[in-house]
Amino acid sequence: MFCLNKAAAAALAGALAGALVGGCSKEAPPPPKPAPQVTVTTVTPQTIPYVMSFVAQTESSRQVDIVARISGYLDKIAYREGELVQEGQLLFELDPKPFRAQLDAAKGELRSQQARLATARANLDRIRPLAKMDAVSRADLDKAQGDFDSARAGVFAAQAKVNEQELNLGYTTIESPVTGLASRSSQRQGAYINATSESAKLTYVAALDPIWVNFSVSQNQTTKMKDQVEKGQIVAPPNLDFEVEVVLSDGAVYPHKGRISFSDPSFSQETGSFLVRAVLPNPDKALRPGMFVTARLHGATRPNAIVLPQLAVQQGSNGHLVYVVKPDGNAEVRPVVVGDYQGDKDIVVLTGLQAGDRVVVDGALRVTPGQPVKIVEAKK
């Protein structure tokens, strides 16, 4: 049996006590993470413009085919192909010599008939008084009257022939009926033009001011618009008098605006859409027929609309969502249905939010649903 001295016993007791204390102790929990800082926007419904956009194409408001009305040889092409021509400007000239000769012949026939009429009138004037005195027979009077009526009809027919030949001679010079762009000539100088064949079509002139802008509205778009108007989500302008704005292919906005002038009453059986036409002034001739543009219809409004920055709306696996800060300071996920973009940075939220909701704009990636957040002011 061994014995410990007092010093050893005290050391052993201290070691045992330390071991017991160490064996019963637990690790201290880590300090809680600070709430993430976020900026929010408070939902405030407002009335905003509702703009509809359509792919459109320009068209001349008056495109006229230039067609020869008479047959003959093409003497002259009097315009620069592809250039702007003025109303009444000479475009083509056919050889006028045959038509001048025909006009001269018609005038000669007219003079002959006029002389015949003068003779018949003089003869009738002599016979009438003789007939009253029974100096000539009734048959003589009837013959004189017939000759006079025949000569008068002959003058009328000869005058009509003169008028016809004057028209034909006038048709040898072909002028532009409108101010616009003249296309290339389909015939060359010296070619024979047959007025009853395809060669009679010489070119066309397309008026540029005003210009038409055509676009199609599908049946689905029409139904959707009607449904939103009936629900009060969209307010259309009075009498559907939309203002039409055109955006060019490079994104530039055309400076002149127009109005809708025509809407097809029926849907196309091929496309299920109907044609809408707008008329725009084009004084600078910047728009040419056949250009593809975007037509924007202004005038409708969306009342009580909720507009959020695009940064606040996230794309989830089941659709769009936002983070809303509840009154207790915790964040929750809120699924939403979005509509059109508003400007370059905002988007319209159709359902899922209401007035007064505080939506996280900046810092959404640091938010944990059900956990508190710290709202700070947005950095300027």
Side-chain angles (χ1 to χ4, degrees), residues 48 53 88 122 182 201-202 226 238 270 349:
I48 61 173
S53 298
K201 184 177 179 180
L202 302 177
K226 182 180 179 181
E270 289 79 15
V349 177

PDB file of all heavy atoms in Angstrom, residues 48 53 88 122 182 201-202 226 238 270 349:
ATOM      1  N   ILE A  48     -51.184  54.437 -66.312  1.00  0.00           N
ATOM      2  CA  ILE A  48     -50.044  54.536 -67.217  1.00  0.00           C
ATOM      3  C   ILE A  48     -50.533  54.375 -68.664  1.00  0.00           C
ATOM      4  O   ILE A  48     -51.600  53.809 -68.908  1.00  0.00           O
ATOM      5  CB  ILE A  48     -48.981  53.458 -66.913  1.00  0.00           C
ATOM      6  CG1 ILE A  48     -49.588  52.056 -67.088  1.00  0.00           C
ATOM      7  CG2 ILE A  48     -48.414  53.645 -65.519  1.00  0.00           C
ATOM      8  CD1 ILE A  48     -48.577  50.934 -66.963  1.00  0.00           C
ATOM      9  N   SER A  53     -47.839  47.447 -79.990  1.00  0.00           N
ATOM     10  CA  SER A  53     -46.853  47.471 -81.074  1.00  0.00           C
ATOM     11  C   SER A  53     -47.143  46.363 -82.074  1.00  0.00           C
ATOM     12  O   SER A  53     -47.521  45.249 -81.682  1.00  0.00           O
ATOM     13  CB  SER A  53     -45.433  47.304 -80.518  1.00  0.00           C
ATOM     14  OG  SER A  53     -45.101  48.377 -79.652  1.00  0.00           O
ATOM     15  N   GLY A  88     -47.995  66.115-113.588  1.00  0.00           N
ATOM     16  CA  GLY A  88     -47.994  66.805-114.871  1.00  0.00           C
ATOM     17  C   GLY A  88     -46.671  66.773-115.597  1.00  0.00           C
ATOM     18  O   GLY A  88     -46.582  67.263-116.735  1.00  0.00           O
ATOM     19  N   ALA A 122     -79.297  75.374-147.428  1.00  0.00           N
ATOM     20  CA  ALA A 122     -79.732  76.343-148.450  1.00  0.00           C
ATOM     21  C   ALA A 122     -80.860  75.762-149.297  1.00  0.00           C
ATOM     22  O   ALA A 122     -81.846  76.450-149.621  1.00  0.00           O
ATOM     23  CB  ALA A 122     -78.548  76.744-149.318  1.00  0.00           C
ATOM     24  N   ALA A 182     -40.945  57.617-109.598  1.00  0.00           N
ATOM     25  CA  ALA A 182     -41.204  56.903-110.849  1.00  0.00           C
ATOM     26  C   ALA A 182     -40.258  55.717-110.939  1.00  0.00           C
ATOM     27  O   ALA A 182     -39.045  55.864-110.781  1.00  0.00           O
ATOM     28  CB  ALA A 182     -41.021  57.829-112.046  1.00  0.00           C
ATOM     29  N   LYS A 201     -47.800  48.617-120.552  1.00  0.00           N
ATOM     30  CA  LYS A 201     -47.445  49.083-119.212  1.00  0.00           C
ATOM     31  C   LYS A 201     -46.000  49.556-119.216  1.00  0.00           C
ATOM     32  O   LYS A 201     -45.062  48.769-119.369  1.00  0.00           O
ATOM     33  CB  LYS A 201     -47.638  47.968-118.191  1.00  0.00           C
ATOM     34  CG  LYS A 201     -47.390  48.419-116.766  1.00  0.00           C
ATOM     35  CD  LYS A 201     -47.672  47.308-115.765  1.00  0.00           C
ATOM     36  CE  LYS A 201     -47.397  47.781-114.345  1.00  0.00           C
ATOM     37  NZ  LYS A 201     -47.660  46.714-113.354  1.00  0.00           N
ATOM     38  N   LEU A 202     -45.812  50.841-119.042  1.00  0.00           N
ATOM     39  CA  LEU A 202     -44.488  51.442-119.196  1.00  0.00           C
ATOM     40  C   LEU A 202     -43.738  51.571-117.882  1.00  0.00           C
ATOM     41  O   LEU A 202     -42.536  51.337-117.827  1.00  0.00           O
ATOM     42  CB  LEU A 202     -44.634  52.820-119.854  1.00  0.00           C
ATOM     43  CG  LEU A 202     -45.322  52.824-121.222  1.00  0.00           C
ATOM     44  CD1 LEU A 202     -45.470  54.238-121.746  1.00  0.00           C
ATOM     45  CD2 LEU A 202     -44.563  51.954-122.216  1.00  0.00           C
ATOM     46  N   LYS A 226     -60.228  43.000 -76.127  1.00  0.00           N
ATOM     47  CA  LYS A 226     -61.633  43.159 -75.764  1.00  0.00           C
ATOM     48  C   LYS A 226     -61.885  42.710 -74.335  1.00  0.00           C
ATOM     49  O   LYS A 226     -62.612  43.366 -73.576  1.00  0.00           O
ATOM     50  CB  LYS A 226     -62.506  42.362 -76.733  1.00  0.00           C
ATOM     51  CG  LYS A 226     -63.994  42.482 -76.475  1.00  0.00           C
ATOM     52  CD  LYS A 226     -64.793  41.673 -77.486  1.00  0.00           C
ATOM     53  CE  LYS A 226     -66.293  41.771 -77.200  1.00  0.00           C
ATOM     54  NZ  LYS A 226     -67.077  40.952 -78.178  1.00  0.00           N
ATOM     55  N   PRO A 238     -61.443  57.434 -76.987  1.00  0.00           N
ATOM     56  CA  PRO A 238     -62.782  57.620 -77.563  1.00  0.00           C
ATOM     57  C   PRO A 238     -62.788  57.311 -79.057  1.00  0.00           C
ATOM     58  O   PRO A 238     -61.892  57.715 -79.796  1.00  0.00           O
ATOM     59  CB  PRO A 238     -63.072  59.105 -77.289  1.00  0.00           C
ATOM     60  CG  PRO A 238     -62.196  59.470 -76.142  1.00  0.00           C
ATOM     61  CD  PRO A 238     -60.954  58.644 -76.298  1.00  0.00           C
ATOM     62  N   GLU A 270     -56.826  32.988 -94.464  1.00  0.00           N
ATOM     63  CA  GLU A 270     -55.500  32.372 -94.502  1.00  0.00           C
ATOM     64  C   GLU A 270     -54.716  32.627 -93.221  1.00  0.00           C
ATOM     65  O   GLU A 270     -54.046  31.734 -92.710  1.00  0.00           O
ATOM     66  CB  GLU A 270     -54.693  32.895 -95.700  1.00  0.00           C
ATOM     67  CG  GLU A 270     -55.185  32.413 -97.059  1.00  0.00           C
ATOM     68  CD  GLU A 270     -56.400  33.175 -97.541  1.00  0.00           C
ATOM     69  OE1 GLU A 270     -56.697  34.249 -96.973  1.00  0.00           O
ATOM     70  OE2 GLU A 270     -57.071  32.684 -98.482  1.00  0.00           O
ATOM     71  N   VAL A 349     -46.858  44.560 -63.513  1.00  0.00           N
ATOM     72  CA  VAL A 349     -47.269  43.341 -62.809  1.00  0.00           C
ATOM     73  C   VAL A 349     -48.784  43.281 -62.828  1.00  0.00           C
ATOM     74  O   VAL A 349     -49.466  44.166 -62.296  1.00  0.00           O
ATOM     75  CB  VAL A 349     -46.737  43.327 -61.362  1.00  0.00           C
ATOM     76  CG1 VAL A 349     -47.246  42.095 -60.625  1.00  0.00           C
ATOM     77  CG2 VAL A 349     -45.214  43.338 -61.363  1.00  0.00           C
TER      78      VAL A 349
END
